[in-house]
Amino acid sequence: LRPALPALLASAQAAASSADATLRQPAAHALGRVIAAFAEPEPEDAAEAEAEGADAAAALTLAAAAGVPSSALEALAALLADASSDVRLSAMHAAKRLARLRPGGGAPAG
């Protein structure tokens, strides 16, 4: 799936910028899934980091999250402020799903 992520992201971003709310609404869900896929470490890297300990696993998680293109996050943020309440709701669900995947991921360090 990883090689297809850039094309999937481009399609989701194109739909997210559409004038048609019936395209922007599913684009919000698609962006959430593509962002989650970009932020997921490769399985073999995750297994190796797990074997090395919690610090290595946490570092890998942060490194993978840093690999999410900022344009994807910007597109989702724009949908959170969309004029259509249906689109905003879908974007909120996508953001909520991302937060569930990485609980505490947005918490300040320290």
Side-chain angles (χ1 to χ4, degrees), residues 75-101:
L76 184 57
L79 293 174
L80 285 166
D82 197 270
S84 166
S85 62
D86 290 336
V87 173
R88 289 192 310 268
L89 183 62
S90 292
M92 183 186 68
H93 284 213
K96 188 172 155 183
R97 179 176 187 265
L98 290 171
R100 283 188 184 144
L101 290 174

Side-chain angles (χ1 to χ4, degrees), residues 2 5-6 9 13 34-42 59-73 102:
R2 192 158 298 272
L5 288 178
L9 175 59
Q13 287 176 311
V34 170
I35 290 168
F38 266 109
E40 189 65 32
E42 293 289 340
L60 179 62
T61 297
L62 287 174
V68 175
S70 61
S71 62
L73 299 171
R102 298 280 185 248

Side-chain angles (χ1 to χ4, degrees), residues 9-62:
L9 175 59
S11 295
Q13 287 176 311
S17 64
S18 171
D20 186 356
T22 60
L23 290 177
R24 292 191 314 274
Q25 187 175 0
H29 293 288
L31 281 168
R33 287 178 176 89
V34 170
I35 290 168
F38 266 109
E40 189 65 32
E42 293 289 340
E44 54 274 359
D45 294 338
E48 185 177 311
E50 289 285 328
E52 291 176 17
D55 288 342
L60 179 62
T61 297
L62 287 174

